[in-house]
Amino acid sequence: MPPKVPTFAEQLAAARSSAVHLEMRDSYSVAKETGPFAAWRDGFRHDPDDRTSWWRPWLTLIEETVARGVEVRRVRIVSEPVSEYIRFEYSGTFTNIAAGEQIRWLPRRQASHIALPGNDFWLFDSESVRFNHFTGDGESAGPSFSDDPAVALLCATAFEAAWERAVPHENYTV
């Protein structure tokens, strides 16, 4: 029987110093984003002055995590020109930054010399990894978890290499 995968909230709550996220897909079809993506396609844009309308409880969770002293960083590896879905993500990224996340964008062509894991992941305190698995159509296929030091090192090395090459959000345009 495979080990129980802790919930994301449990893993983030247990983080002591860092939580890093590497995203490598050009589109996702996760159920919770279907409505917001459709609304964005219809012209909806978040109002920077209306924080209460932004995606909750995610941003609250990030704000609380950062307030505890945990550094939260994310790199999105993207094909260029970017997909419609990446334009959707980009348009709302200011909300993540306002919550305390640091976000960078890495054009896929600049990632060719990085040894990357086969799946998106979250790495907590450089010790435990939550892999996010997706179907070919971008739907969630569930997470898996590893606290194997070699796996954590692979993910930490990949993330830091991507972070070093990536462009800070405020300097990246789509």
Side-chain angles (χ1 to χ4, degrees):
M1 170 182 263
K4 178 189 178 292
V5 177
T7 68
F8 178 78
E10 290 170 338
Q11 288 180 290
L12 196 57
R16 298 174 313 278
S17 61
S18 67
V20 301
H21 186 33
L22 185 64
E23 295 179 349
M24 298 180 282
R25 295 182 58 94
D26 287 318
S27 67
Y28 297 85
S29 296
V30 293
K32 66 184 172 192
E33 291 182 352
T34 303
F37 186 37
W40 179 84
R41 282 178 154 168
D42 289 340
F44 172 81
R45 300 298 182 266
H46 288 290
D47 179 351
D49 297 323
D50 184 11
R51 288 179 70 107
T52 59
S53 70
W54 301 349
W55 184 23
R56 304 291 177 176
W58 171 254
L59 296 174
T60 301
L61 183 60
I62 294 302
E63 288 170 336
E64 292 169 352
T65 301
V66 171
R68 288 190 293 112
V70 176
E71 182 179 54
V72 180
R73 297 182 294 155
R74 178 189 312 243
V75 173
R76 291 177 171 144
I77 298 176
V78 296
S79 299
E80 292 180 320
V82 301
S83 67
E84 181 182 36
Y85 185 87
I86 294 299
R87 288 195 313 275
F88 159 69
E89 281 191 324
Y90 182 87
S91 76
T93 295
F94 75 91
T95 65
N96 299 71
I97 291 169
E101 271 192 79
Q102 301 170 52
I103 299 180
R104 293 185 178 182
W105 302 84
L106 181 60
R108 191 170 309 282
R109 287 181 178 270
Q110 296 175 21
S112 295
H113 296 92
I114 301 172
L116 297 167
N119 296 288
D120 290 9
F121 65 84
W122 278 91
L123 173 65
F124 303 94
D125 297 322
S126 297
E127 297 172 355
S128 62
V129 182
R130 179 187 187 88
F131 288 105
N132 296 323
H133 302 280
F134 297 93
T135 67
D137 291 331
E139 295 176 11
S140 176
S144 64
F145 172 79
S146 177
D147 58 5
D148 179 324
V151 172
L153 179 60
L154 168 70
C155 291
T157 302
F159 182 85
E160 292 304 330
W163 183 260
E164 179 181 300
R165 291 168 175 79
V167 179
H169 177 74
E170 62 272 11
N171 297 332
Y172 187 76
T173 55
V174 297

